[in-house]
Amino acid sequence: MPHIDRADIQGNVVRGYRFPVARHFFIRMGDATSGRRWLRDTVDFVTNAELWDEKPGWALNIAFTHAGLRAVGVQPQSLDSFPAEFQQGMRARAQMLGDTGGSSPAHWESHFRDGDIHVMATLNASAPDRLAERCDWFERILAGTETLQIVGRQDAARLAESREHFGYVDGLSQPLVAGDGMPTRRGQGVKEGSGWRALRAGEFLLGHHDETGQMPLAPQPTALAQNGTYLVYRKLHQDVALFRRFLADRARAYAGAEEKLAAALMGRWRDGTPIERSPDAADPSLGFDLQRNNDFTYGEDLDGFRCPVGAHIRRANPRDAIGFRHKMVHRHRLIRRGMPYGNPLSPGSDDDGVDRGLIFVCLGASIQRQFEFVQTQWMNDGNIFALGADKDVLAGDNDGTGKMTVQGRPPWFVAAVPRLVTTKGGDYFFLPGIRALRRISGELQPP
Ligand code: HEM
């Protein structure tokens, strides 16, 4: 298996940084000349995917919207060669994504709503003071350009024990990328016989073979696409007080009570134990064991009696439960790099009005086949799973009228699922390889 060219891939794509804090800057470029000059000055500081002897204090990465590529002077024939969904951007896809009602673009934060964003620059850091220091440096450089304007900022930070705001440990399951050189962990790639193999790099990186054995469709020229990927950014507000009330209320008549119902919604106990492996109780020795906490499939549980068919992780990655022989599931995997934002709601508190949630970030070679498919077919609909109109309780576009089915004899229905997660904004970005960044900046022959 050829190794991937780490020096040419931006960091945090094939392997996660796992820094505790981050800030996203959303930037608008006044003109192409100063945009390219800024990029030339900045590209040497962009973090690539090379392995670290010692973890650095911070990392910087840069991604463009389609409007951003145009603003920085990428040629029209090249701009036209990008896939339609990227050209249109997330706002134009809102209806299809289920971003309606309170999640519709009319309610998004202004920089997402008004389509002002050209660039997203993300600084990750090892501690809040390191982040503050680097952000000052970054803002000083931008201020020096006069024509590049910061139109939005977003902080994100890990919570204790890597939990997200509803209280579950997050960041446990990621696809393993071929050529990364990481030892295969059971459950993190594609099951083959009794073992597991990594997914082909082309599922996540342009210019590499994907699971069909083909090169993914990529924009032209090849030099612009090589080692690039698409990044989906969504600011997802979580209504934690409503989630707690909902859980307590629906669990009242549920055999096994609140924590068991919480586990059924997710497919994992809150500590990360997969219920497919441990359906009756959390098992801390399993939850935190990286070799075992993903080592499961659903093929022996097609009825969903151990893990409900509509549980969040089973919908998001049905493993061998649907289309396995046709590799259907492998074509819809996502690398997730999100982080929570906002302070946690203390236990027992009622709604405090604070904005909190998940900065959902995912990466893949096709926004349409990966993120949009998972959101629309697996989160917002139950048809593929023979669940009718059931939606994912956490990430589906619920409106208070739908249900979740917990299979069993008899089955249990979680009624009137409210919208627990609201979209506050987001966009589609192209995260170029390092050489492509230099080309865009004009330092190498431009695209
Ligand atoms: C606020 C909204 C969300 C919350 C709180 C949330 C939370 C979680 C948690 C706790 C896990 C289990 C830990 C793990 O396996 O890494 C998980 C897994 C996952 N989530 Fe979400 N999630 C949210 C939205 C989404 C959305 C919108 C998508 C895709 C469109 C998604 C896709 C996935 C995937 C692919 C997995 C891994 C499944 C596996 O491989 O077993 N999530 N999520």
Side-chain angles (χ1 to χ4, degrees):
M1 176 62 59
H3 276 248
I4 49 182
D5 181 2
R6 295 181 169 287
D8 194 40
I9 300 168
Q10 290 207 46
N12 216 21
V13 177
V14 281
R15 252 182 233 191
Y17 288 150
R18 301 196 78 83
F19 278 116
V21 283
R23 184 170 299 165
H24 300 277
F25 291 95
F26 298 99
I27 299 164
R28 186 164 181 83
M29 287 184 279
D31 66 88
T33 310
S34 55
R36 284 200 294 270
R37 193 177 314 121
W38 167 75
L39 195 56
R40 271 199 300 282
D41 291 345
T42 310
V43 70
D44 284 340
F45 298 99
V46 172
T47 309
N48 65 22
E50 284 179 308
L51 301 180
W52 297 325
D53 293 331
E54 199 181 320
K55 192 165 180 170
W58 57 276
L60 171 67
N61 294 100
I62 290 181
F64 294 85
T65 58
H66 192 255
L69 292 173
R70 181 181 294 111
V72 76
V74 170
Q75 294 300 307
Q77 64 272 31
S78 180
L79 291 170
D80 291 348
S81 68
F82 278 89
E85 71 276 11
F86 174 67
Q87 294 195 33
Q88 289 168 11
M90 190 180 284
R91 208 172 30 139
R93 315 280 286 179
Q95 184 80 24
M96 184 265 298
L97 290 172
D99 287 334
T100 53
S103 285
S104 67
H107 301 284
W108 287 6
E109 291 179 350
S110 58
H111 44 287
F112 297 115
R113 192 183 57 224
D114 302 339
D116 277 344
I117 299 166
H118 288 156
V119 172
M120 180 174 80
T122 302
L123 274 160
N124 276 273
S126 56
D129 55 337
R130 288 307 299 270
L131 182 64
E133 179 196 302
R134 268 298 114 183
C135 289
D136 286 350
W137 161 84
F138 185 74
E139 293 215 19
R140 272 200 308 277
I141 297 179
L142 276 175
T145 68
E146 285 177 2
T147 57
L148 276 86
Q149 190 197 344
I150 298 175
V151 293
R153 294 175 184 77
Q154 178 64 56
D155 281 352
R158 289 201 185 287
L159 302 178
E161 299 175 324
S162 293
R163 305 240 171 186
E164 51 67 52
H165 282 290
F166 292 151
Y168 300 90
V169 172
D170 200 0
L172 296 172
S173 174
Q174 295 286 5
L176 192 70
V177 183
D180 178 38
M182 282 279 278
T184 321
R185 269 202 216 128
R186 293 183 64 81
Q188 287 211 310
V190 178
K191 191 161 192 302
E192 266 187 356
S194 59
W196 293 80
R197 67 160 173 84
L199 279 133
R200 304 234 158 79
E203 290 297 316
F204 307 104
L205 290 172
L206 302 180
H208 297 259
H209 289 103
D210 65 20
E211 284 291 322
T212 65
Q214 317 267 319
M215 291 286 188
L217 283 176
Q220 295 302 315
T222 313
L224 176 66
Q226 187 65 33
N227 286 324
T229 189
Y230 294 100
L231 184 156
V232 174
Y233 176 103
R234 274 164 91 68
K235 180 169 182 177
L236 300 176
H237 167 81
Q238 293 174 252
D239 191 337
V240 178
L242 177 62
F243 175 71
R244 289 179 189 166
R245 284 199 306 274
F246 161 76
L247 196 59
D249 179 75
R250 305 303 189 274
R252 225 171 279 137
Y254 180 66
E258 208 168 307
E259 281 312 298
K260 180 135 185 176
L261 185 57
L265 303 182
M266 178 55 72
R268 291 187 186 270
W269 298 89
R270 296 214 219 206
D271 73 349
T273 307
I275 58 172
E276 189 58 45
R277 291 203 54 162
S278 180
D280 297 324
D283 174 356
S285 73
L286 187 55
F288 284 99
D289 183 339
L290 294 177
Q291 293 305 329
R292 297 195 302 143
N293 65 12
N294 262 303
D295 185 11
F296 58 92
T297 53
Y298 304 111
E300 304 289 307
D301 179 30
L302 291 176
D303 291 335
F305 283 12
R306 288 170 77 85
C307 176
V309 176
H312 178 68
I313 65 161
R314 185 162 172 169
R315 282 173 171 270
N317 176 16
R319 300 181 186 225
D320 59 342
I322 55 167
F324 182 54
R325 259 176 294 151
H326 308 291
K327 298 191 176 163
M328 190 260 216
V329 172
H330 318 329
R331 308 240 55 220
H332 306 291
R333 301 297 308 280
L334 312 172
I335 292 178
R336 290 171 303 132
R337 297 290 182 233
M339 242 194 231
Y341 73 92
N343 292 329
L345 181 66
S346 16
S349 303
D350 204 359
D351 197 359
D352 57 3
V354 169
D355 185 19
R356 58 174 63 83
L358 181 68
I359 299 301
F360 175 87
V361 172
C362 76
L363 302 155
S366 165
I367 295 173
Q368 195 270 327
R369 172 166 48 81
Q370 292 165 308
F371 166 68
E372 289 191 341
F373 180 93
V374 174
Q375 182 66 54
T376 60
Q377 305 302 307
W378 290 355
M379 296 290 150
N380 295 352
D381 194 10
N383 199 38
I384 278 181
F385 309 113
L387 290 174
D390 283 15
K391 299 170 188 284
D392 184 66
V393 171
L394 302 177
D397 59 340
N398 293 291
D399 61 5
T401 61
K403 63 165 177 29
M404 176 189 171
T405 309
V406 180
Q407 286 81 13
R409 288 197 186 92
W412 173 261
F413 299 105
V414 184
V417 179
R419 188 142 197 167
L420 299 165
V421 170
T422 310
T423 311
K424 306 265 281 187
D427 218 332
Y428 293 156
F429 294 89
F430 177 58
L431 189 79
I434 304 285
R435 275 194 295 273
L437 272 181
R438 293 193 188 282
R439 283 199 161 79
I440 295 168
S441 79
E443 189 187 310
L444 296 178
Q445 197 195 352

